[in-house]
Amino acid sequence: MRTWKQYGVLAAVLVGGAAASVYGFFATGGAMPMGKRFGAIVEGGATSGGAPLVDLGRGVVTPEPVDVLGEFVPIVIACFLLGGFFFAYAMATQEA
């Protein structure tokens, strides 16, 4: 596979991921101010019965706001380390 094709696929994946992230952010109410979101929750009350943890209409349900330094940053660091490992492995096993 040529390098420009690899970069094209990578760019398409990154653009697709960014578009899905922005859509998910707005679809789940992430852009709504916290006071307005809390008011909507209080007015609506708790629903009875169980529900799935991941609902495509609501997104991922968390009991409290996500701790960026405690949860998000380690995942990003792990992805970078894993990507670096795969890159080093590919370079080491590449034929001359």
Side-chain angles (χ1 to χ4, degrees):
M1 186 181 246
R2 297 215 167 140
T3 305
W4 65 271
K5 287 183 182 179
Q6 291 175 346
Y7 286 127
V9 170
L10 177 62
V13 168
L14 290 176
V15 167
S21 298
V22 170
Y23 171 76
F25 179 75
F26 286 106
T28 58
M32 187 184 305
M34 193 60 148
K36 188 175 180 183
R37 186 184 322 169
F38 181 73
I41 292 170
V42 170
E43 289 175 8
T47 59
S48 61
L53 181 62
V54 176
D55 181 7
L56 296 179
R58 290 185 59 201
V60 178
V61 179
T62 58
E64 58 188 34
V66 176
D67 178 22
V68 174
L69 292 178
E71 299 171 9
F72 183 70
V73 172
I75 293 172
V76 171
I77 291 172
C79 287
F80 274 108
L81 291 176
L82 189 63
F85 168 75
F86 284 135
F87 178 77
Y89 178 75
M91 290 295 113
T93 59
Q94 179 178 343
E95 293 182 28

